[in-house]
């Protein structure tokens, strides 16, 4: 019975953790008018700037951000005299976390016995940080980040990357309309 209870609790914990949505936070610079920006471009990342991210994931991340920046731009291919209005810069932080659960069971007929069971679960958490930088003043006008659990499955990881980028850009669109 104890084993069934522990398996049930573990499976519920994993189910809740796998279904948890991303946590998105954002901050708009004081006096920044986000509606004035029409052309967005993605900053070129230096080779060692994204530690702990393999080249395939870097490419997936850059493609997802470029796609969203292109959709956000009302002016296409503005490479003339004026250049981009906003440069989109991004960074990834990967951290290993631990989740510790403690279970206490009592059993016995005449006497009560107490058994404490501790389960430790390690998981990887990733944070994507995206900054929108005014190209003329070189100041950050909007800062957004999202945090979520990273899965080792490469197909699900690509979906998670797309979901994270979409959630940040959706938050930017909301903040832009305020």
């Amino acid at each position: 019975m104890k084993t069934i209870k522990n398996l049930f609790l573990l499976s519920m914990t994993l189910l809740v953790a796998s279904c948890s949505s991303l946590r998105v936070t954002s901050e708009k610079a004081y006096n920044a008018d986000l509606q004035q920006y029409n052309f967005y471009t993605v900053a070129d990342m230096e080779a060692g700037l994204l530690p702990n991210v393999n080249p395939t994931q870097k490419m997936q991340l850059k493609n997802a951000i470029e796609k969203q920046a292109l959709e956000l731009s009302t002016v296409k291919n503005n490479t003339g005299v004026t250049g981009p209005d906003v440069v989109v810069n991004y960074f990834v932080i990967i951290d290993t976390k631990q989740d510790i659960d403690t279970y206490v069971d009592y059993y016995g007929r005449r006497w009560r016995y107490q058994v404490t069971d501790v389960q430790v679960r390690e998981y990887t958490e990733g944070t994507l940080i995206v900054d929108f930088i005014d190209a003329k003043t070189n100041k950050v006008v909007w800062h957004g980040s999202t945090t979520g659990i990273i899965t080792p499955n490469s197909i699900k990881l690509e979906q998670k990357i797309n979901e994270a980028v979409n959630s940040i850009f959706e938050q930017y669109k909301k903040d832009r309309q305020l």
Side-chain angles (χ1 to χ4, degrees):
M1 184 66 173
K2 176 183 162 192
T3 306
I4 293 172
K5 179 182 171 186
N6 287 342
L7 286 174
F8 175 75
L9 289 173
L10 180 63
S11 65
M12 290 305 292
T13 303
L14 291 174
L15 180 66
V16 169
S18 66
C19 294
S20 65
S21 62
L22 298 167
R23 297 180 306 272
V24 180
T25 60
S26 67
E27 184 177 359
K28 183 172 91 168
Y30 181 72
N31 289 336
D33 180 17
L34 301 179
Q35 292 185 1
Q36 73 176 341
Y37 302 116
N38 298 315
F39 181 60
Y40 300 79
T41 189
V42 179
D44 291 328
M45 300 302 287
E46 295 177 19
L49 200 54
L50 294 175
N52 303 323
V53 180
N54 71 38
T56 304
Q57 295 165 350
K58 287 178 188 178
M59 182 188 66
Q60 292 168 346
L61 183 60
K62 184 177 181 184
N63 289 343
I65 291 174
E66 284 178 345
K67 178 183 174 200
Q68 289 292 326
L70 185 64
E71 289 178 8
L72 198 57
S73 296
T74 55
V75 177
K76 306 296 181 202
N77 298 326
N78 188 7
T79 58
V81 177
T82 59
D85 297 327
V86 173
V87 176
V88 180
N89 194 18
Y90 59 96
F91 189 73
V92 176
I93 299 172
I94 297 176
D95 196 14
T96 301
K97 302 272 186 160
Q98 287 186 343
D99 193 16
I100 300 172
D101 294 318
T102 305
Y103 305 98
V104 178
D105 287 332
Y106 297 98
Y107 67 94
R109 288 185 174 201
R110 279 181 96 171
W111 296 279
R112 291 181 75 168
Y113 297 99
Q114 178 180 346
V115 177
T116 304
D117 187 21
V118 178
Q119 294 180 349
V120 179
R121 181 177 68 92
E122 280 194 359
Y123 61 95
T124 305
E125 185 176 78
T127 302
L128 172 63
I129 300 167
V130 177
D131 291 325
F132 287 58
I133 303 168
D134 186 305
K136 293 177 183 81
T137 64
N138 209 24
K139 293 184 179 178
V140 175
V141 293
W142 188 86
H143 171 84
S145 67
T146 183
T147 302
I149 296 174
I150 297 175
T151 176
N153 183 332
S154 62
I155 294 172
K156 289 185 180 181
L157 183 58
E158 184 175 9
Q159 292 170 350
K160 198 76 153 178
I161 288 171
N162 289 330
E163 182 184 343
V165 171
N166 289 341
S167 65
I168 285 181
F169 275 80
E170 286 301 317
Q171 185 64 43
Y172 175 76
K173 290 174 188 174
K174 288 177 188 175
D175 291 348
R176 188 177 186 195
Q177 293 177 2
L178 296 178

